[in-house]
Amino acid sequence: MTDMMTFHYNISPDDFTRAGEASSDVKSKLKKMGVTPEAVRKVAIAMYEGEINMVIHAKGGEITVNITPDLIEMILADVGPGIPDIGLAMQAGYSTAPDAVRSLGFGAGMGLPNMKKYSDDMEIDTVIGKGTTIRMVVNI
Ligand SMILES: Nc1ncnc2c1ncn2[C@@H]1O[C@H](COP(=O)(O)OP(=O)(O)OP(=O)(O)O)[C@@H](O)[C@H]1O
Ligand SMILES: [Mg+2]
């Protein structure tokens, strides 16, 4: 595991001007490292959606990205309200985004389905009132 690189990002709550910065930083780092375009694209989409969800639905949090020669692991940990029904939240089109957020173009209910689609492995660990941790892996 000497080949592992780790990056940390703090995600501030309700800051739409900065939302997406962490995922775009990871995207450019992976490109510079010469990671395949397909893996870069999968990470960029999956991490962006998770990052935006932390801003919209939670109170921000922390993202850790581990990069090895074989895979990219993203751990998104927030201190938000938790997800009461993961099965429902995973359904395409399901969203609890308020009107103010929808008017900014979010709230199609496609974030979690796309995180699942573009990652090779995804686990959601959520506790009501405490927060949500999502682990996604993209194989290189
Ligand atoms: N980190 C989170 N904490 C609490 N609830 C969440 C979190 N992420 C998602 N959810 C819940 O799951 C629902 C579905 O999430 P999803 O990302 O699929 O859609 P959305 O964020 O509402 O819209 P879109 O991602 O298309 O802009 C959200 O509306 C919200 O209720
Ligand atoms: Mg979303």
Side-chain angles (χ1 to χ4, degrees), residues 39-96:
V40 174
R41 184 165 162 269
K42 287 166 72 176
V43 168
I45 295 170
M47 185 172 159
Y48 173 80
E49 292 295 346
E51 181 181 356
I52 295 290
N53 279 353
M54 292 170 83
V55 176
I56 293 177
H57 306 294
K59 295 170 192 144
E62 193 176 281
I63 301 179
T64 303
V65 181
N66 294 313
I67 303 167
T68 76
D70 300 325
L71 58 85
I72 296 134
E73 177 188 46
M74 296 156 269
I75 299 163
L76 293 75
D78 71 53
V79 288
I83 303 174
D85 186 336
I86 294 175
L88 187 60
M90 289 298 301
Q91 282 179 24
Y94 176 81
S95 175
T96 61

Side-chain angles (χ1 to χ4, degrees), residues 4-42:
M4 186 162 90
M5 296 179 80
T6 299
F7 299 101
H8 289 287
Y9 299 91
N10 285 308
I11 310 302
S12 25
D14 295 320
D15 188 351
F16 287 99
T17 60
R18 297 197 55 196
E21 277 184 7
S23 45
S24 70
D25 187 67
V26 169
K27 184 181 181 178
S28 69
K29 281 188 164 73
L30 293 175
K31 270 192 199 166
K32 277 185 202 141
M33 287 174 201
V35 172
T36 61
E38 195 204 345
V40 174
R41 184 165 162 269
K42 287 166 72 176

